[in-house]
Amino acid sequence: MSQPVLTFTERGIYCPAGDFHIDPWRPVDRALITHGHADHARPGHGAYLATDGALPVIRHRLGEIAAEGIAYGEARQIGGAGVSFHPAGHLPGSAQIRVEVGGQVWVVSGDYKVVDDGLSEPFEPVPCHAFISECTFGLPVFTWPSQTEVAAEINAWWAANAAAGRTSMLGAYSLGKAQRLMSMLEPQGPILTHGAVEATNAVLRAQGYSLPETIQVMPDTDVKALKGALVIAPPSALGSAWARKFGPASTGFASGWMRLRGIRRRRGMDRGFVISDHADWPGLQEAIKSTGAETIYVTHGYTEIFSRWLKEQGHDAAIVPTEFGGEDGAESESTS
Amino acid sequence: MKRFARLFTEIDQTKKTTVKTKALADYFTHAPESDKLWCIALFSGRRPKRAVTTTNLREWAAERAGIPLWLLEESYPIVGDLAETIALVLPPPSQASDHSLSHWINVLRGLHDIPLEERKPRILNAWDQLDSTERFLFNKLITGGFRIGVSRKLMTRALAKATGQDEAVLAHKLMGGWTPETTSYHTLIEADDPAADQSRPYPFYLAYQLDEPPETLGPPEDWQAEWKWDGIRGQLILRDHAHHVWSRGEELMTDRFPEFARAADFLPPGTVLDGEIVAWEGTQPMPFSALQPRIGRKTVPKKLLREAPVILLAYDLLEENGTDLRDAPLCRRRARLDALLADMPAEAPVRASPLVPFADWEALAKTRAQARDFRAEGLMLKRRESPYLSGRKKGDWWKWKLDPLTVDAVMIYAQQGHGRRANLFTDFTFAVWQGNELVPFTKAYSGLTDKEFDEITAWVRKNTQQRFGPVRQVRPQHVFEIAFEGIQPSPRHKSGLALRFPRMSRWRHDKAPQEANTLDDLRALLAAYG
Ligand SMILES: [Zn+2]
Ligand SMILES: [Zn+2]
């Protein structure tokens, strides 16, 4: 057989024909980036290529970088490899990367979810020979309720808090989850944001994504005057001194990990809402099936269990070797 | 079941005791009597007799979920709870129903009388009518371990709130050998006959750990000191020509300790003693390791009875001639106790736990330092004027334990935790040196901060040398101080010894692995304290 389209090196996923890496974790000359989360878009690369939708956030996070944007579906030739980016449904601008060399098509999923969240460009199945899939939630215990159900649950909690004179403090990652939440909820009062969330809002709004009105909490903001507010902040901020100025509050955390009672309790918040920007167990099966791939490489999650399951289902499955974490699904808790 | 599921959710979603109490009190006000009784039973550690094995449950659930059994088995340690794992993998219910909690418990009880192959369709049918939380609770009824952040005390307080009865009176009513099968809500809670159950113990009064110097307690003459024994806390009850032995965990241990049958020869009926059950040799307790083989056994072989005979070292008298003495000050109860046990012959299974005299705190601290010579773990300090309260209350009773023993050891294996800590490495195996070899000697799970667990988890991921199933062998680099309460010989372990209550007391960043202790150091501790 000829050389594989992609290989797995100590810097990350590498394409020998095109001499580029995808989401590498160590500095390389040329990096193709699926999306702006910290475990995918790292600093220090010579040149970056990402979707036009993802690039502003990546620039915002990494500062001065040599970067180029590409439209979804736009074909680009890099050396001996044909590449294109396709929506992954993970967050606005997020992509799967398709690489074709000598008629062989491989797709790197990055992070993805198959349900349409109404804000991100919806996941698009890309037929391929080999699919490199994340499996952050690759266990049958992870199935998500519908977005409508979760939205109703959060709305009810917010309304009850507002009625009882409590602020609702919702922990969510500042890129992706925070914006998804604010757009899916039915406002029961003003939405206040932590600076980290508002900075991402500003970038996305400038790109034309439509987000509801938000008020950034500044040192001089009179938060007590904003009755019935929902505060959206990174989880780390909820436990800090910053959170104390809101007076009586109920805390919630929105993540796929909230499906597990043990983790929900470890988080120590009043409420856990099960909502994730990653595919759940049925979502993973659906995505894999829709690619028609014979070979599945799994990464980022419960790889050992998930690959065993895929093999039993008749796939040729293998684990992407990674040097740093990910293999137990634990680190991914920070990008859920 | 929906009402009970709602109660569970309300309790599970909050850390605030007041919210939990209110939710429970509401339940006790509105739920049907049979459900209330079961709710009380479940939150006081009682459950229906197990009708199906967890092996059955796993197989049926995997089949129903359309996944191989191994996949369910692999998911279980990550979720950390079998009942929850099963609830999560099952497909959504296809029927709607709202039967009561007791209905579902009756379904489970009915399984005992039918053949195994008929049990499966009933369980599947139940799963198919219950939503995810209800299923979790239903599974919990089968697997047991109903730990959902409701202590018996909190439940009793809620019940007191709902019924208007006194909390202490209720606590007493809830003690003893009842089950929902043998009583009714009315008989247990509402009927006015506190002596209904002659075997009923009093709620135990529990001490707090003294972390401040004893000088903070005030004048020493207000206090009495006793040895803190390393045995099993128990109540010995003599009423109506029968005797009963209860553990602090409210387990009836009468059959386990036949020695106490003779107590009635020396003590009058209407006597309740609180004390420590210890294995006894002539003049002093044997180490806890001698008592250990007797703990798990329902019946005791003769040989064990000879090798490790037990007695009660009594330190409190709760009932005398059928009269409840708990409101009397400790000094009075103690005087009655001493009078009662004054002329006990040597063969009696009861002795008074001696008072430890002291003139001032400084002198007492010196005495405490010798506790291990007396086979004690330290001292108990009790306020002379204190009544016998129920539960853990701050102020009058303190345990003033010896500092634990410690060794510095090297971490060699790591394993992920369960439940709350499922994503962290929290279970570690430690080793000490024997020549150039590291000999494993203990596991430890607790003692680090969340931040330290995060740090060590990241380190383990990058420094795994080999995997054995869920266990990872890691580079021997990190030294931890292991604190423990006791040490005993153990032929089952490679090191030949075992520790009691080992935990990580300090991460010794300042020590290289070569500086850890040796097996000989541990053997010296074994010789001194084992
Ligand atoms: Zn991501
Ligand atoms: Zn990721």
Side-chain angles (χ1 to χ4, degrees), chain A residues 17-41:
Chain A
D19 190 22
F20 59 82
H21 288 80
I22 297 178
D23 290 353
W25 50 73
R26 289 190 189 163
V28 299
D29 290 341
R30 174 160 216 167
L32 276 55
I33 305 293
T34 59
H35 66 289
H37 277 149
D39 54 333
H40 298 260

Side-chain angles (χ1 to χ4, degrees), chain A residues 141 259-266 268 270-271 302 304-305 308-309 312 324 327-328 330-331, chain B residues 8 12-13 15 68 70-71 74-75 78-79 84 88-89 147-148 419-420 423 461-462 467 472:
Chain A
V141 295
R259 176 85 169 149
L260 302 187
R261 183 167 170 254
I263 296 183
R264 209 156 62 220
R265 293 167 69 83
R266 176 150 67 85
D270 296 319
R271 295 293 295 272
Y302 297 102
E304 278 174 37
I305 300 173
R308 181 175 166 195
W309 158 259
E312 278 190 16
F324 293 112
E327 84 255 53
D328 296 289
E331 283 88 346
Chain B
F8 166 78
D12 204 42
Q13 277 176 356
K15 294 180 299 268
W70 69 261
L71 186 51
E74 290 280 354
S75 303
I78 294 160
V79 175
E84 185 185 353
L88 293 179
V89 299
R147 280 182 292 275
I148 63 163
R420 207 174 76 86
N423 281 307
R461 291 215 159 86
K462 289 178 200 158
R467 295 185 184 207
R472 295 179 179 214

Side-chain angles (χ1 to χ4, degrees), chain B residues 212-396:
Chain B
E212 306 290 315
E215 284 77 10
T216 57
L217 297 179
E221 54 274 19
D222 291 351
W223 296 83
Q224 83 172 35
E226 304 158 6
W227 292 116
K228 181 180 183 329
W229 303 112
D230 189 10
I232 302 170
R233 178 88 182 269
Q235 254 178 65
L236 173 61
I237 295 174
L238 296 152
R239 288 183 192 132
D240 262 5
H241 306 290
H243 77 285
H244 313 276
V245 182
W246 288 94
S247 76
R248 197 191 90 179
E250 249 186 81
E251 205 182 342
L252 194 55
M253 306 187 296
T254 315
D255 298 338
R256 214 165 290 185
F257 299 114
E259 288 93 337
F260 295 111
R262 287 205 66 196
D265 299 346
F266 308 101
L267 293 164
T271 303
V272 177
L273 296 168
D274 181 14
E276 196 88 359
I277 298 168
V278 296
W280 188 257
E281 50 180 0
T283 55
Q284 65 169 352
M286 297 159 77
F288 187 81
S289 53
L291 186 62
Q292 214 154 31
R294 298 200 49 175
I295 291 175
R297 291 173 185 271
K298 296 264 176 205
T299 54
V300 199
K302 287 223 171 57
K303 182 167 175 284
L304 208 50
L305 273 177
R306 252 192 336 267
E307 285 172 3
V310 301
I311 66 158
L312 181 77
L313 285 170
Y315 37 71
D316 217 323
L317 180 63
L318 309 185
E319 184 177 311
E320 186 178 34
N321 298 321
T323 306
D324 182 350
L325 293 187
R326 291 177 298 160
D327 286 338
L330 173 64
C331 52
R332 280 249 301 287
R333 299 198 306 273
R334 180 72 205 200
R336 301 302 312 151
L337 178 76
D338 287 338
L340 187 69
L341 302 180
D343 299 313
M344 265 317 132
E347 70 266 32
V350 179
R351 275 157 195 265
S353 175
L355 292 182
V356 178
F358 66 106
D360 52 53
W361 293 122
E362 206 177 318
L364 190 61
K366 290 210 180 83
T367 312
R368 166 175 165 267
Q370 298 159 16
R372 285 200 177 93
D373 300 339
F374 291 86
R375 297 262 163 83
E377 298 181 293
L379 290 170
M380 294 296 304
L381 301 176
K382 299 177 179 174
R383 194 187 294 277
R384 287 181 191 280
E385 290 302 315
S386 61
Y388 190 91
L389 301 173
S390 92
R392 203 179 289 281
K393 301 240 163 55
K394 244 185 183 133
D396 290 341

Side-chain angles (χ1 to χ4, degrees), chain A residues 35 37 39-40 90 111 278 300 335:
Chain A
H35 66 289
H37 277 149
D39 54 333
H40 298 260
H90 178 54
D111 293 339
H278 292 270
H300 216 320
T335 55

Side-chain angles (χ1 to χ4, degrees), chain B residues 458-521:
Chain B
W459 182 86
V460 167
R461 291 215 159 86
K462 289 178 200 158
N463 291 279
T464 298
Q465 292 182 323
Q466 219 182 328
R467 295 185 184 207
F468 311 93
V471 178
R472 295 179 179 214
Q473 184 179 348
V474 296
R475 202 146 53 81
Q477 177 185 324
H478 288 295
V479 177
F480 288 80
E481 181 183 86
I482 306 295
F484 52 100
E485 299 303 320
I487 184 166
Q488 60 196 52
S490 169
R492 287 189 298 118
H493 292 95
K494 192 175 173 187
S495 61
L497 48 87
L499 308 186
R500 292 198 67 209
F501 303 124
R503 68 259 179 199
M504 293 163 268
S505 48
R506 213 144 44 105
W507 187 342
R508 298 296 308 254
H509 290 286
D510 57 320
K511 284 207 165 183
Q514 296 74 21
E515 297 173 75
N517 281 101
T518 64
L519 190 56
D520 283 339
D521 297 335

